[in-house]
Amino acid sequence: MDRVTLRGLRARGHHGVFERERIEGQTFVVDLVLHLDTRPAAAGDDLTRTAHYGIIAEEVTAVIAGDPVDLIETLAQRIADQCLTHEAVEEVEVTVHKPDAPITVPFDDVTITIHRGRA
């Protein structure tokens, strides 16, 4: 499988288990690795035969900004599900960063990474 990678997609979301997170929101950052066969697109120089990463980026940021969930695990799954609606995408790796997580000690980032494919 070939890979198309998008790094650093950012959007404000209201995800989390604490009331403050739901009310104030925070920035979430997402990295994607889309696994697909790019040969058909390359052979015909045809955008319709690959994953349109601009559209996928817009859809992913809409998921982040959309309906709140408690867990970043759930958010990552929703993002993976959205990516897999694209016919060319066979598998996807999703990393959700929550750099402003409500942790009481110094830290750089909290992430979850999931890998999903077509069932």
Side-chain angles (χ1 to χ4, degrees):
M1 284 282 126
D2 303 316
R3 295 181 307 224
V4 173
T5 303
L6 291 90
R7 290 205 171 100
L9 296 172
R10 288 178 171 73
R12 190 157 189 85
H14 293 266
H15 312 289
V17 296
F18 298 114
E19 184 178 0
R20 188 183 111 247
E21 294 177 291
R22 292 294 184 106
I23 293 170
E24 296 175 14
Q26 59 192 291
T27 298
F28 291 83
V29 182
V30 172
D31 303 324
L32 300 174
V33 180
L34 308 171
H35 298 264
L36 62 152
D37 183 356
T38 61
R39 289 175 293 193
D45 199 26
D46 185 354
L47 177 60
T48 65
R49 303 198 64 198
T50 189
H52 191 312
Y53 52 80
I55 290 174
I56 292 173
E58 291 172 359
E59 292 171 350
V60 167
T61 56
V63 170
I64 297 168
D67 293 335
V69 297
D70 288 344
L71 303 176
I72 59 173
E73 291 86 344
T74 307
L75 180 59
Q77 184 64 54
R78 286 186 177 179
I79 291 167
D81 290 343
Q82 181 60 46
C83 292
L84 290 169
T85 66
H86 293 266
E87 186 177 332
V89 178
E90 293 294 326
E91 298 177 356
V92 63
E93 182 176 291
V94 177
T95 301
V96 175
H97 301 258
K98 190 174 179 181
D100 298 321
I103 297 175
T104 60
V105 298
F107 74 103
D108 289 329
D109 198 6
V110 172
T111 68
I112 180 170
T113 300
I114 65 171
H115 188 108
R116 299 291 185 265
R118 297 190 181 281

